[in-house]
PDB file of all heavy atoms in Angstrom:
ATOM      1  N   CYS B   1       0.642  17.375  -4.836  1.00 97.00           N
ATOM      2  CA  CYS B   1       0.597  17.429  -3.369  1.00 97.00           C
ATOM      3  C   CYS B   1       2.022  17.482  -2.822  1.00 97.00           C
ATOM      4  O   CYS B   1       2.956  16.967  -3.431  1.00 97.00           O
ATOM      5  CB  CYS B   1      -0.132  16.210  -2.799  1.00 97.00           C
ATOM      6  SG  CYS B   1      -1.867  16.097  -3.270  1.00 97.00           S
ATOM      7  N   ALA B   2       2.140  18.071  -1.647  1.00 97.00           N
ATOM      8  CA  ALA B   2       3.454  18.179  -1.012  1.00 97.00           C
ATOM      9  C   ALA B   2       3.821  16.914  -0.257  1.00 97.00           C
ATOM     10  O   ALA B   2       5.005  16.637  -0.036  1.00 97.00           O
ATOM     11  CB  ALA B   2       3.483  19.381  -0.082  1.00 97.00           C
ATOM     12  N   SER B   3       2.831  16.133   0.177  1.00 97.00           N
ATOM     13  CA  SER B   3       3.106  14.932   0.963  1.00 97.00           C
ATOM     14  C   SER B   3       2.105  13.851   0.623  1.00 97.00           C
ATOM     15  O   SER B   3       1.003  14.128   0.111  1.00 97.00           O
ATOM     16  CB  SER B   3       3.030  15.238   2.463  1.00 97.00           C
ATOM     17  OG  SER B   3       1.695  15.540   2.829  1.00 97.00           O
ATOM     18  N   LEU B   4       2.454  12.608   0.914  1.00 97.00           N
ATOM     19  CA  LEU B   4       1.532  11.505   0.684  1.00 97.00           C
ATOM     20  C   LEU B   4       0.326  11.619   1.603  1.00 97.00           C
ATOM     21  O   LEU B   4      -0.793  11.269   1.221  1.00 97.00           O
ATOM     22  CB  LEU B   4       2.251  10.167   0.897  1.00 97.00           C
ATOM     23  CG  LEU B   4       1.426   8.914   0.613  1.00 97.00           C
ATOM     24  CD1 LEU B   4       0.896   8.901  -0.815  1.00 97.00           C
ATOM     25  CD2 LEU B   4       2.248   7.657   0.879  1.00 97.00           C
ATOM     26  N   GLN B   5       0.542  12.096   2.797  1.00 97.00           N
ATOM     27  CA  GLN B   5      -0.574  12.268   3.733  1.00 97.00           C
ATOM     28  C   GLN B   5      -1.623  13.198   3.140  1.00 97.00           C
ATOM     29  O   GLN B   5      -2.828  12.946   3.242  1.00 97.00           O
ATOM     30  CB  GLN B   5      -0.058  12.815   5.061  1.00 97.00           C
ATOM     31  CG  GLN B   5      -1.107  12.798   6.166  1.00 97.00           C
ATOM     32  CD  GLN B   5      -0.488  13.056   7.526  1.00 97.00           C
ATOM     33  OE1 GLN B   5       0.651  13.493   7.630  1.00 97.00           O
ATOM     34  NE2 GLN B   5      -1.228  12.764   8.570  1.00 97.00           N
ATOM     35  N   GLU B   6      -1.181  14.266   2.501  1.00 97.00           N
ATOM     36  CA  GLU B   6      -2.107  15.193   1.834  1.00 97.00           C
ATOM     37  C   GLU B   6      -2.821  14.500   0.680  1.00 97.00           C
ATOM     38  O   GLU B   6      -4.023  14.663   0.477  1.00 97.00           O
ATOM     39  CB  GLU B   6      -1.338  16.406   1.322  1.00 97.00           C
ATOM     40  CG  GLU B   6      -2.190  17.405   0.562  1.00 97.00           C
ATOM     41  CD  GLU B   6      -1.360  18.513  -0.085  1.00 97.00           C
ATOM     42  OE1 GLU B   6      -0.160  18.647   0.252  1.00 97.00           O
ATOM     43  OE2 GLU B   6      -1.914  19.230  -0.946  1.00 97.00           O
ATOM     44  N   ALA B   7      -2.080  13.692  -0.082  1.00 97.00           N
ATOM     45  CA  ALA B   7      -2.659  13.022  -1.250  1.00 97.00           C
ATOM     46  C   ALA B   7      -3.724  12.008  -0.875  1.00 97.00           C
ATOM     47  O   ALA B   7      -4.639  11.737  -1.658  1.00 97.00           O
ATOM     48  CB  ALA B   7      -1.545  12.332  -2.035  1.00 97.00           C
ATOM     49  N   LEU B   8      -3.624  11.446   0.339  1.00 98.00           N
ATOM     50  CA  LEU B   8      -4.559  10.393   0.759  1.00 98.00           C
ATOM     51  C   LEU B   8      -5.615  10.898   1.739  1.00 98.00           C
ATOM     52  O   LEU B   8      -6.343  10.093   2.315  1.00 98.00           O
ATOM     53  CB  LEU B   8      -3.778   9.244   1.411  1.00 98.00           C
ATOM     54  CG  LEU B   8      -2.710   8.563   0.549  1.00 98.00           C
ATOM     55  CD1 LEU B   8      -2.018   7.456   1.339  1.00 98.00           C
ATOM     56  CD2 LEU B   8      -3.308   8.009  -0.739  1.00 98.00           C
ATOM     57  N   ALA B   9      -5.720  12.206   1.887  1.00 97.00           N
ATOM     58  CA  ALA B   9      -6.606  12.770   2.906  1.00 97.00           C
ATOM     59  C   ALA B   9      -8.053  12.303   2.765  1.00 97.00           C
ATOM     60  O   ALA B   9      -8.719  12.040   3.772  1.00 97.00           O
ATOM     61  CB  ALA B   9      -6.531  14.295   2.864  1.00 97.00           C
ATOM     62  N   ASP B  10      -8.559  12.175   1.559  1.00 96.00           N
ATOM     63  CA  ASP B  10      -9.965  11.788   1.354  1.00 96.00           C
ATOM     64  C   ASP B  10     -10.109  10.345   0.883  1.00 96.00           C
ATOM     65  O   ASP B  10     -11.163   9.939   0.399  1.00 96.00           O
ATOM     66  CB  ASP B  10     -10.634  12.725   0.355  1.00 96.00           C
ATOM     67  CG  ASP B  10      -9.999  12.640  -1.031  1.00 96.00           C
ATOM     68  OD1 ASP B  10      -8.819  12.263  -1.127  1.00 96.00           O
ATOM     69  OD2 ASP B  10     -10.696  12.960  -2.023  1.00 96.00           O
ATOM     70  N   VAL B  11      -9.036   9.559   1.025  1.00 97.00           N
ATOM     71  CA  VAL B  11      -9.028   8.173   0.547  1.00 97.00           C
ATOM     72  C   VAL B  11      -9.336   7.222   1.693  1.00 97.00           C
ATOM     73  O   VAL B  11      -8.838   7.387   2.800  1.00 97.00           O
ATOM     74  CB  VAL B  11      -7.642   7.832  -0.060  1.00 97.00           C
ATOM     75  CG1 VAL B  11      -7.500   6.343  -0.292  1.00 97.00           C
ATOM     76  CG2 VAL B  11      -7.455   8.591  -1.365  1.00 97.00           C
ATOM     77  N   SER B  12     -10.176   6.219   1.419  1.00 97.00           N
ATOM     78  CA  SER B  12     -10.462   5.214   2.451  1.00 97.00           C
ATOM     79  C   SER B  12      -9.709   3.915   2.204  1.00 97.00           C
ATOM     80  O   SER B  12      -9.513   3.117   3.125  1.00 97.00           O
ATOM     81  CB  SER B  12     -11.971   4.933   2.518  1.00 97.00           C
ATOM     82  OG  SER B  12     -12.463   4.506   1.260  1.00 97.00           O
ATOM     83  N   VAL B  13      -9.281   3.680   0.965  1.00 97.00           N
ATOM     84  CA  VAL B  13      -8.527   2.477   0.636  1.00 97.00           C
ATOM     85  C   VAL B  13      -7.266   2.886  -0.125  1.00 97.00           C
ATOM     86  O   VAL B  13      -7.351   3.429  -1.223  1.00 97.00           O
ATOM     87  CB  VAL B  13      -9.331   1.493  -0.236  1.00 97.00           C
ATOM     88  CG1 VAL B  13      -8.564   0.187  -0.403  1.00 97.00           C
ATOM     89  CG2 VAL B  13     -10.695   1.236   0.351  1.00 97.00           C
ATOM     90  N   ALA B  14      -6.112   2.664   0.482  1.00 97.00           N
ATOM     91  CA  ALA B  14      -4.845   3.000  -0.158  1.00 97.00           C
ATOM     92  C   ALA B  14      -3.996   1.748  -0.265  1.00 97.00           C
ATOM     93  O   ALA B  14      -3.657   1.126   0.737  1.00 97.00           O
ATOM     94  CB  ALA B  14      -4.103   4.069   0.643  1.00 97.00           C
ATOM     95  N   ALA B  15      -3.683   1.354  -1.501  1.00 97.00           N
ATOM     96  CA  ALA B  15      -2.884   0.161  -1.746  1.00 97.00           C
ATOM     97  C   ALA B  15      -1.454   0.571  -2.058  1.00 97.00           C
ATOM     98  O   ALA B  15      -1.201   1.243  -3.065  1.00 97.00           O
ATOM     99  CB  ALA B  15      -3.468  -0.644  -2.897  1.00 97.00           C
ATOM    100  N   ALA B  16      -0.531   0.191  -1.202  1.00 95.00           N
ATOM    101  CA  ALA B  16       0.880   0.513  -1.398  1.00 95.00           C
ATOM    102  C   ALA B  16       1.537  -0.561  -2.237  1.00 95.00           C
ATOM    103  O   ALA B  16       1.451  -1.750  -1.915  1.00 95.00           O
ATOM    104  CB  ALA B  16       1.586   0.641  -0.050  1.00 95.00           C
ATOM    105  N   LEU B  17       2.196  -0.161  -3.302  1.00 93.00           N
ATOM    106  CA  LEU B  17       2.920  -1.106  -4.146  1.00 93.00           C
ATOM    107  C   LEU B  17       4.354  -1.225  -3.639  1.00 93.00           C
ATOM    108  O   LEU B  17       5.081  -0.236  -3.568  1.00 93.00           O
ATOM    109  CB  LEU B  17       2.914  -0.633  -5.600  1.00 93.00           C
ATOM    110  CG  LEU B  17       1.716  -1.062  -6.451  1.00 93.00           C
ATOM    111  CD1 LEU B  17       1.738  -2.562  -6.676  1.00 93.00           C
ATOM    112  CD2 LEU B  17       0.405  -0.616  -5.835  1.00 93.00           C
ATOM    113  N   THR B  18       4.734  -2.424  -3.267  1.00 87.00           N
ATOM    114  CA  THR B  18       6.064  -2.626  -2.707  1.00 87.00           C
ATOM    115  C   THR B  18       6.655  -3.917  -3.229  1.00 87.00           C
ATOM    116  O   THR B  18       5.930  -4.887  -3.492  1.00 87.00           O
ATOM    117  CB  THR B  18       6.018  -2.658  -1.167  1.00 87.00           C
ATOM    118  OG1 THR B  18       7.337  -2.890  -0.668  1.00 87.00           O
ATOM    119  CG2 THR B  18       5.085  -3.743  -0.658  1.00 87.00           C
ATOM    120  N   SER B  19       7.970  -3.929  -3.397  1.00 76.00           N
ATOM    121  CA  SER B  19       8.655  -5.153  -3.818  1.00 76.00           C
ATOM    122  C   SER B  19       9.656  -5.592  -2.767  1.00 76.00           C
ATOM    123  O   SER B  19      10.449  -6.497  -3.002  1.00 76.00           O
ATOM    124  CB  SER B  19       9.376  -4.920  -5.161  1.00 76.00           C
ATOM    125  OG  SER B  19      10.332  -3.886  -5.046  1.00 76.00           O
ATOM    126  N   ARG B  20       9.625  -4.965  -1.601  1.00 68.00           N
ATOM    127  CA  ARG B  20      10.566  -5.302  -0.534  1.00 68.00           C
ATOM    128  C   ARG B  20       9.845  -5.941   0.645  1.00 68.00           C
ATOM    129  O   ARG B  20       8.663  -5.692   0.887  1.00 68.00           O
ATOM    130  CB  ARG B  20      11.292  -4.040  -0.052  1.00 68.00           C
ATOM    131  CG  ARG B  20      12.245  -3.458  -1.082  1.00 68.00           C
ATOM    132  CD  ARG B  20      12.983  -2.273  -0.507  1.00 68.00           C
ATOM    133  NE  ARG B  20      12.106  -1.136  -0.286  1.00 68.00           N
ATOM    134  CZ  ARG B  20      12.425  -0.084   0.459  1.00 68.00           C
ATOM    135  NH1 ARG B  20      13.584  -0.047   1.088  1.00 68.00           N
ATOM    136  NH2 ARG B  20      11.589   0.928   0.594  1.00 68.00           N
ATOM    137  N   ARG B  21      10.561  -6.769   1.380  1.00 63.00           N
ATOM    138  CA  ARG B  21      10.016  -7.380   2.575  1.00 63.00           C
ATOM    139  C   ARG B  21       9.785  -6.283   3.627  1.00 63.00           C
ATOM    140  O   ARG B  21      10.662  -5.453   3.885  1.00 63.00           O
ATOM    141  CB  ARG B  21      10.981  -8.422   3.133  1.00 63.00           C
ATOM    142  CG  ARG B  21      10.428  -9.210   4.315  1.00 63.00           C
ATOM    143  CD  ARG B  21      11.501 -10.134   4.872  1.00 63.00           C
ATOM    144  NE  ARG B  21      11.930 -11.101   3.871  1.00 63.00           N
ATOM    145  CZ  ARG B  21      11.331 -12.260   3.673  1.00 63.00           C
ATOM    146  NH1 ARG B  21      10.270 -12.590   4.386  1.00 63.00           N
ATOM    147  NH2 ARG B  21      11.785 -13.093   2.759  1.00 63.00           N
ATOM    148  N   ARG B  22       8.597  -6.238   4.186  1.00 61.00           N
ATOM    149  CA  ARG B  22       8.264  -5.214   5.165  1.00 61.00           C
ATOM    150  C   ARG B  22       7.895  -5.872   6.490  1.00 61.00           C
ATOM    151  O   ARG B  22       7.201  -6.897   6.518  1.00 61.00           O
ATOM    152  CB  ARG B  22       7.060  -4.377   4.688  1.00 61.00           C
ATOM    153  CG  ARG B  22       7.249  -3.726   3.320  1.00 61.00           C
ATOM    154  CD  ARG B  22       8.065  -2.462   3.388  1.00 61.00           C
ATOM    155  NE  ARG B  22       8.098  -1.775   2.091  1.00 61.00           N
ATOM    156  CZ  ARG B  22       8.635  -0.588   1.899  1.00 61.00           C
ATOM    157  NH1 ARG B  22       9.192   0.062   2.912  1.00 61.00           N
ATOM    158  NH2 ARG B  22       8.632  -0.049   0.696  1.00 61.00           N
ATOM    159  N   GLU B  23       8.322  -5.268   7.566  1.00 63.00           N
ATOM    160  CA  GLU B  23       7.958  -5.786   8.884  1.00 63.00           C
ATOM    161  C   GLU B  23       6.643  -5.158   9.323  1.00 63.00           C
ATOM    162  O   GLU B  23       6.556  -4.433  10.304  1.00 63.00           O
ATOM    163  CB  GLU B  23       9.075  -5.492   9.884  1.00 63.00           C
ATOM    164  CG  GLU B  23      10.354  -6.259   9.589  1.00 63.00           C
ATOM    165  CD  GLU B  23      11.422  -6.018  10.633  1.00 63.00           C
ATOM    166  OE1 GLU B  23      11.150  -5.292  11.609  1.00 63.00           O
ATOM    167  OE2 GLU B  23      12.536  -6.543  10.465  1.00 63.00           O
ATOM    168  N   ILE B  24       5.601  -5.489   8.530  1.00 66.00           N
ATOM    169  CA  ILE B  24       4.263  -4.962   8.784  1.00 66.00           C
ATOM    170  C   ILE B  24       3.307  -6.149   8.746  1.00 66.00           C
ATOM    171  O   ILE B  24       3.425  -7.043   7.904  1.00 66.00           O
ATOM    172  CB  ILE B  24       3.872  -3.914   7.721  1.00 66.00           C
ATOM    173  CG1 ILE B  24       4.836  -2.720   7.790  1.00 66.00           C
ATOM    174  CG2 ILE B  24       2.448  -3.446   7.916  1.00 66.00           C
ATOM    175  CD1 ILE B  24       4.595  -1.674   6.722  1.00 66.00           C
ATOM    176  N   ALA B  25       2.349  -6.138   9.643  1.00 62.00           N
ATOM    177  CA  ALA B  25       1.446  -7.288   9.762  1.00 62.00           C
ATOM    178  C   ALA B  25       0.416  -7.354   8.641  1.00 62.00           C
ATOM    179  O   ALA B  25      -0.223  -8.388   8.447  1.00 62.00           O
ATOM    180  CB  ALA B  25       0.737  -7.241  11.117  1.00 62.00           C
ATOM    181  N   THR B  26       0.237  -6.265   7.901  1.00 72.00           N
ATOM    182  CA  THR B  26      -0.751  -6.251   6.819  1.00 72.00           C
ATOM    183  C   THR B  26      -0.433  -7.343   5.798  1.00 72.00           C
ATOM    184  O   THR B  26       0.713  -7.453   5.347  1.00 72.00           O
ATOM    185  CB  THR B  26      -0.747  -4.884   6.110  1.00 72.00           C
ATOM    186  OG1 THR B  26      -0.958  -3.855   7.073  1.00 72.00           O
ATOM    187  CG2 THR B  26      -1.830  -4.822   5.047  1.00 72.00           C
ATOM    188  N   PRO B  27      -1.423  -8.156   5.411  1.00 80.00           N
ATOM    189  CA  PRO B  27      -1.167  -9.229   4.434  1.00 80.00           C
ATOM    190  C   PRO B  27      -0.671  -8.667   3.107  1.00 80.00           C
ATOM    191  O   PRO B  27      -1.101  -7.602   2.663  1.00 80.00           O
ATOM    192  CB  PRO B  27      -2.541  -9.896   4.275  1.00 80.00           C
ATOM    193  CG  PRO B  27      -3.288  -9.544   5.517  1.00 80.00           C
ATOM    194  CD  PRO B  27      -2.808  -8.178   5.913  1.00 80.00           C
ATOM    195  N   LEU B  28       0.231  -9.385   2.471  1.00 88.00           N
ATOM    196  CA  LEU B  28       0.774  -8.982   1.181  1.00 88.00           C
ATOM    197  C   LEU B  28       0.005  -9.704   0.082  1.00 88.00           C
ATOM    198  O   LEU B  28      -0.077 -10.929   0.068  1.00 88.00           O
ATOM    199  CB  LEU B  28       2.259  -9.336   1.115  1.00 88.00           C
ATOM    200  CG  LEU B  28       3.063  -8.790  -0.071  1.00 88.00           C
ATOM    201  CD1 LEU B  28       3.045  -7.271  -0.075  1.00 88.00           C
ATOM    202  CD2 LEU B  28       4.496  -9.312  -0.014  1.00 88.00           C
ATOM    203  N   LEU B  29      -0.553  -8.938  -0.869  1.00 94.00           N
ATOM    204  CA  LEU B  29      -1.393  -9.494  -1.919  1.00 94.00           C
ATOM    205  C   LEU B  29      -0.763  -9.278  -3.288  1.00 94.00           C
ATOM    206  O   LEU B  29      -0.029  -8.318  -3.501  1.00 94.00           O
ATOM    207  CB  LEU B  29      -2.775  -8.832  -1.902  1.00 94.00           C
ATOM    208  CG  LEU B  29      -3.562  -8.881  -0.591  1.00 94.00           C
ATOM    209  CD1 LEU B  29      -4.838  -8.066  -0.720  1.00 94.00           C
ATOM    210  CD2 LEU B  29      -3.883 -10.315  -0.214  1.00 94.00           C
ATOM    211  N   THR B  30      -1.081 -10.173  -4.211  1.00 95.00           N
ATOM    212  CA  THR B  30      -0.719  -9.945  -5.604  1.00 95.00           C
ATOM    213  C   THR B  30      -1.779  -9.025  -6.220  1.00 95.00           C
ATOM    214  O   THR B  30      -2.889  -8.891  -5.682  1.00 95.00           O
ATOM    215  CB  THR B  30      -0.682 -11.259  -6.393  1.00 95.00           C
ATOM    216  OG1 THR B  30      -2.015 -11.797  -6.466  1.00 95.00           O
ATOM    217  CG2 THR B  30       0.251 -12.269  -5.752  1.00 95.00           C
ATOM    218  N   PRO B  31      -1.487  -8.395  -7.358  1.00 96.00           N
ATOM    219  CA  PRO B  31      -2.502  -7.571  -8.019  1.00 96.00           C
ATOM    220  C   PRO B  31      -3.786  -8.345  -8.313  1.00 96.00           C
ATOM    221  O   PRO B  31      -4.884  -7.821  -8.146  1.00 96.00           O
ATOM    222  CB  PRO B  31      -1.802  -7.123  -9.303  1.00 96.00           C
ATOM    223  CG  PRO B  31      -0.362  -7.072  -8.932  1.00 96.00           C
ATOM    224  CD  PRO B  31      -0.165  -8.259  -8.018  1.00 96.00           C
ATOM    225  N   ARG B  32      -3.654  -9.582  -8.720  1.00 95.00           N
ATOM    226  CA  ARG B  32      -4.846 -10.378  -9.044  1.00 95.00           C
ATOM    227  C   ARG B  32      -5.699 -10.649  -7.818  1.00 95.00           C
ATOM    228  O   ARG B  32      -6.926 -10.725  -7.905  1.00 95.00           O
ATOM    229  CB  ARG B  32      -4.418 -11.690  -9.706  1.00 95.00           C
ATOM    230  CG  ARG B  32      -5.555 -12.471 -10.329  1.00 95.00           C
ATOM    231  CD  ARG B  32      -5.059 -13.341 -11.454  1.00 95.00           C
ATOM    232  NE  ARG B  32      -4.485 -12.542 -12.524  1.00 95.00           N
ATOM    233  CZ  ARG B  32      -3.852 -13.065 -13.592  1.00 95.00           C
ATOM    234  NH1 ARG B  32      -3.724 -14.373 -13.702  1.00 95.00           N
ATOM    235  NH2 ARG B  32      -3.363 -12.272 -14.523  1.00 95.00           N
ATOM    236  N   GLN B  33      -5.056 -10.796  -6.686  1.00 96.00           N
ATOM    237  CA  GLN B  33      -5.803 -11.002  -5.445  1.00 96.00           C
ATOM    238  C   GLN B  33      -6.436  -9.707  -4.938  1.00 96.00           C
ATOM    239  O   GLN B  33      -7.544  -9.715  -4.413  1.00 96.00           O
ATOM    240  CB  GLN B  33      -4.870 -11.568  -4.368  1.00 96.00           C
ATOM    241  CG  GLN B  33      -4.378 -12.975  -4.643  1.00 96.00           C
ATOM    242  CD  GLN B  33      -3.241 -13.381  -3.714  1.00 96.00           C
ATOM    243  OE1 GLN B  33      -2.474 -12.539  -3.235  1.00 96.00           O
ATOM    244  NE2 GLN B  33      -3.123 -14.678  -3.437  1.00 96.00           N
ATOM    245  N   ALA B  34      -5.731  -8.608  -5.106  1.00 96.00           N
ATOM    246  CA  ALA B  34      -6.178  -7.354  -4.519  1.00 96.00           C
ATOM    247  C   ALA B  34      -7.219  -6.614  -5.355  1.00 96.00           C
ATOM    248  O   ALA B  34      -8.115  -5.961  -4.810  1.00 96.00           O
ATOM    249  CB  ALA B  34      -4.970  -6.431  -4.297  1.00 96.00           C
ATOM    250  N   CYS B  35      -7.126  -6.704  -6.673  1.00 95.00           N
ATOM    251  CA  CYS B  35      -7.919  -5.828  -7.533  1.00 95.00           C
ATOM    252  C   CYS B  35      -9.430  -6.039  -7.464  1.00 95.00           C
ATOM    253  O   CYS B  35     -10.181  -5.053  -7.528  1.00 95.00           O
ATOM    254  CB  CYS B  35      -7.427  -5.928  -8.975  1.00 95.00           C
ATOM    255  SG  CYS B  35      -5.880  -5.013  -9.218  1.00 95.00           S
TER     256      CYS B  35
END
């Protein structure tokens, strides 16, 4: 795919893997909590 938006077009649940502090209200989960 040319863009992430294209890659997620038919996806309803997208889990972003991040190791940095983000100024986003979405709760941050560990893999064990999220999976």
Side-chain angles (χ1 to χ4, degrees):
C1 297
S3 68
L4 183 58
Q5 190 168 14
E6 178 187 347
L8 301 180
D10 63 335
V11 168
S12 57
V13 187
L17 273 292
T18 179
S19 60
R20 292 184 291 165
R21 186 185 299 273
R22 304 280 187 174
E23 293 183 3
I24 298 176
T26 305
L28 190 61
L29 304 175
T30 66
R32 191 154 298 173
Q33 293 168 332
C35 284

